[in-house]
């Protein structure tokens, strides 16, 4: 696997700061889980945060620390779901409820990832080899991480692990790899305007 | 390496008014908490980091009560998770800063059951790379710290807004009333400086 497309500095900095919309952050996190190079960029940004903390002007606390609970030894935070992760899915999806695959057209299926409170809608899309996804444009962002296979559009070829950071100006017609097909996960803000027959089917399903 | 770290800290203490904090060793304090629930160690760690966390949060525009709460909760998490701290992955300050980020996300989303901070924790689980070089995290952080201390005031402000507060370049420009191009060039210079330092390590 050789990853070519990575998040912009701006997107990664917002992820590191924890200020990205949760839906967008999730798709970035999946890329980070796959790509050690981007993970290292994230660690560097976190090191900058640590340096800023160390150099910060202290502000007096109004209280000292209260009653300390018993220190736990290597025990993970409460509230972590015990549910076994689904095989083959990125681990960062563990905390989320994911719907079943649903056919949404000839050789295309999608499943919704439920991200309560997020502005972006998140869904996985699986397309058979050679399929052309509907021609569309959007008024917001469409960030995608490729989970397997590949697609290609005006801005290049995107294969496993690649991150496609499409903004408002993009109009694209992704063509799915003729041999491998493609499974990807996308977070979409604003409106996506599909064109053509498949778009008309997809539009209500993606609730856009 | 330990000597180099101590030197950096002394230099920084010196730069902040000449008060040299004798032998403040956060790694040893966290270790003492993890081993034996050492409350004195925690008190020292708290006195050092809680006011800095609060200061940083105030600077980023958080109201005082929120800043206090995030600082408290962050330190409480440090107490509970002390045994998970791995100095090979990051310095104490970097580890604590990332806990603060996660707590801040949690506090902002009380109603949505804290999924996103778990995403950050899961990403943090797997970093088995470089088992041959246990000092890598601490070494990197020491380099980053000295690189950050060398940034100009203007660069530092831009770095803070972009990397700590997650502002877009456009937001940084309007917050500081400077042109977008200036934001981009200051960030570029700051990052080049940082990466130049880190390249020695890689």
């Amino acid at each position: 696997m050789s990853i070519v497309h990575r998040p912009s500095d701006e997107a990664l900095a917002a992820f590191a700061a924890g200020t990205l919309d949760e839906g967008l952050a999730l798709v970035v996190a999946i890329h980070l889980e796959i790509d050690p190079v981007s993970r290292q960029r994230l660690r560097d940004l976190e090191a900058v945060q640590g340096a800023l903390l160390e150099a910060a002007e202290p502000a007096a606390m109004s209280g000292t620390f209260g009653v300390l609970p018993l220190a736990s030894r290597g025990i993970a935070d409460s509230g972590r779901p015990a549910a076994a992760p689904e095989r083959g899915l990125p681990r960062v999806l563990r905390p989320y409820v994911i719907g079943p695959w649903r056919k949404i057209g000839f050789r295309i299926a999608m499943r919704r990832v439920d991200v309560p409170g997020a502005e972006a809608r998140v869904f996985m899309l699986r397309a058979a080899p050679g399929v052309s996804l509907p021609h569309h444009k959007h008024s917001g962002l469409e960030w995608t991480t490729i989970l397997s296979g590949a697609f290609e559009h005006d801005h290049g070829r995107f294969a496993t692990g690649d991150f496609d950071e499409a903004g408002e100006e993009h109009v694209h017609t992704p063509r799915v790899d003729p041999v491998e097909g493609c499974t990807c996960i996308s977070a979409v803000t604003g409106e996506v305007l599909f064109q053509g027959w498949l778009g008309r089917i997809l539009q209500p399903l993606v609730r856009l | 390496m330990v000597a180099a770290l101590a030197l950096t800290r002394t230099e920084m203490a010196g730069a902040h008014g000449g008060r040299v904090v004798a032998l403040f060793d956060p790694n040893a304090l966290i270790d003492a908490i993890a081993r034996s629930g050492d409350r004195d160690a925690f008190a020292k760690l708290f006195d050092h980091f809680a006011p800095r966390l609060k200061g940083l949060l105030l600077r980023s525009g958080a109201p005082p009560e929120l800043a206090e709460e995030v600082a408290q909760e962050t330190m409480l998490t440090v107490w509970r998770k002390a045994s998970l701290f791995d100095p090979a992955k990051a310095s104490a300050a970097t580890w604590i800063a990332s806990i603060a980020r996660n707590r801040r996300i949690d506090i902002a989303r009380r109603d949505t059951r804290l999924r996103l901070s778990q995403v950050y924790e899961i990403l943090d689980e797997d970093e088995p790379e470089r088992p041959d070089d246990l000092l890598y995290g601490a070494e990197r952080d020491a380099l980053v710290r000295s690189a950050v201390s060398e940034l100009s005031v203007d660069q530092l402000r831009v770095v803070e807004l972009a990397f700590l507060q997650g502002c877009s370049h456009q937001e940084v420009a309007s917050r500081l009333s400077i042109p977008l191009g200036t934001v981009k060039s200051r960030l570029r210079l700051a990052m080049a400086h940082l990466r130049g330092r880190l390249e020695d390590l890689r």
Side-chain angles (χ1 to χ4, degrees):
Chain A
M1 175 182 20
S2 60
I3 289 168
V4 181
H5 304 280
R6 301 195 158 90
S8 64
D9 283 338
E10 221 168 343
L12 202 63
F15 180 86
T19 54
L20 266 188
D21 173 74
E22 185 167 354
L24 297 171
L26 188 56
V27 172
V28 174
I30 291 167
H31 164 78
L32 286 163
E33 182 177 327
I34 301 171
D35 182 26
V37 174
S38 288
R39 218 153 56 230
Q40 184 158 74
R41 280 168 71 206
L42 172 68
R43 300 299 169 225
D44 290 348
L45 289 169
E46 289 176 338
V48 172
Q49 295 170 357
L52 293 172
L53 171 62
E54 195 58 74
E57 198 63 48
M61 296 288 285
S62 45
T64 175
F65 53 93
V67 180
L68 294 173
L70 287 177
S72 51
R73 290 174 171 273
I75 294 173
D77 228 347
S78 59
R80 173 160 301 182
E86 188 180 317
R87 278 174 73 89
L89 281 186
R91 288 174 309 125
V92 292
L93 283 175
R94 263 181 350 217
Y96 296 88
V97 175
I98 308 175
W101 282 109
R102 287 191 307 180
K103 268 182 81 87
I104 53 167
F106 183 55
R107 305 170 76 207
I108 300 184
M110 74 169 278
R111 60 190 304 197
R112 191 184 295 286
V113 179
D114 190 23
V115 187
E119 186 197 340
R121 275 95 47 202
V122 181
F123 53 89
M124 292 168 67
L125 206 61
R126 186 175 65 198
V131 165
S132 269
L133 295 174
H135 184 63
H136 65 277
K137 55 185 177 185
H138 21 90
S139 66
L141 305 172
E142 181 183 289
W143 290 5
T144 299
T145 295
I146 315 300
L147 298 171
S148 65
F151 66 61
E152 208 177 287
H153 57 59
D154 316 353
H155 296 266
R157 180 184 156 86
F158 295 77
T160 307
D162 274 327
F163 183 77
D164 183 12
E165 190 174 320
E168 288 167 31
E169 317 77 27
H170 293 210
V171 177
H172 51 213
T173 312
R175 291 169 301 280
V176 170
D177 186 276
V179 179
E180 300 174 69
C182 184
T183 303
C184 61
I185 183 162
S186 295
V188 175
T189 67
E191 270 196 280
V192 175
L193 305 162
F194 288 107
Q195 282 132 27
W197 65 273
L198 184 53
R200 285 194 295 276
I201 297 172
L202 207 52
Q203 198 87 56
L205 290 169
V206 189
R207 184 172 43 92
L208 300 166
Chain B
M1 193 58 233
V2 174
L5 268 175
L7 186 65
T8 313
R9 186 164 296 113
T10 310
E11 281 165 357
M12 290 188 66
H16 285 278
R19 191 170 59 91
V20 174
V21 183
L23 290 175
F24 176 75
D25 181 352
N27 290 10
L29 295 175
I30 296 171
D31 191 50
I33 296 166
R35 279 168 192 276
S36 59
D38 185 331
R39 278 154 197 268
D40 291 338
F42 183 74
K44 288 197 185 100
L45 207 62
F46 187 96
D47 288 345
H48 182 81
F49 282 113
R52 284 175 171 75
L53 285 164
K54 188 176 176 184
L56 214 53
L57 286 152
L58 288 175
R59 242 181 111 73
S60 75
E65 318 78 58
L66 178 68
E68 174 93 13
E69 183 182 2
V70 173
Q72 285 281 1
E73 294 225 352
T74 298
M75 294 311 295
L76 191 63
T77 305
V78 167
W79 168 261
R80 287 171 44 229
K81 295 195 170 180
S83 61
L84 299 179
F85 172 60
D86 179 358
K89 277 164 56 172
S91 69
T94 297
W95 183 61
I96 292 172
S98 73
I99 290 175
R101 176 208 43 217
N102 295 357
R103 288 291 78 84
R104 197 172 179 189
I105 290 172
D106 286 349
I107 287 170
R109 285 162 212 261
R110 255 173 197 141
D111 48 333
T112 62
R113 304 220 6 240
L114 320 181
R115 292 178 188 84
L116 183 57
S117 65
Q118 288 176 34
V119 166
Y120 286 88
E121 285 170 12
I122 292 168
L123 269 185
D124 205 31
E125 279 169 11
D126 71 341
E127 217 89 334
E129 298 109 89
R130 308 180 64 111
D132 52 325
D133 188 354
L134 285 178
L135 273 173
Y136 176 66
E139 220 169 347
R140 175 203 57 205
D141 284 14
L143 285 175
V144 168
R145 203 156 51 215
S146 76
V148 165
S149 72
E150 288 156 6
L151 295 179
S152 71
V153 176
D154 286 344
Q155 284 175 345
L156 194 63
R157 190 69 192 125
V158 171
V159 163
E160 211 171 60
L161 287 169
F163 297 165
L164 198 64
Q165 299 179 35
C167 296
S168 70
H169 297 170
Q170 188 58 60
E171 285 163 350
V172 176
S174 49
R175 289 272 287 272
L176 300 178
S177 310
I178 54 176
L180 184 61
T182 310
V183 172
K184 288 182 188 292
S185 67
R186 280 183 195 168
L187 270 177
R188 203 164 40 234
L189 282 173
M191 284 312 282
H193 179 59
L194 220 66
R195 289 189 175 130
R197 287 304 201 79
L198 288 171
E199 259 162 33
D200 302 342
L201 198 63
R202 289 177 180 147

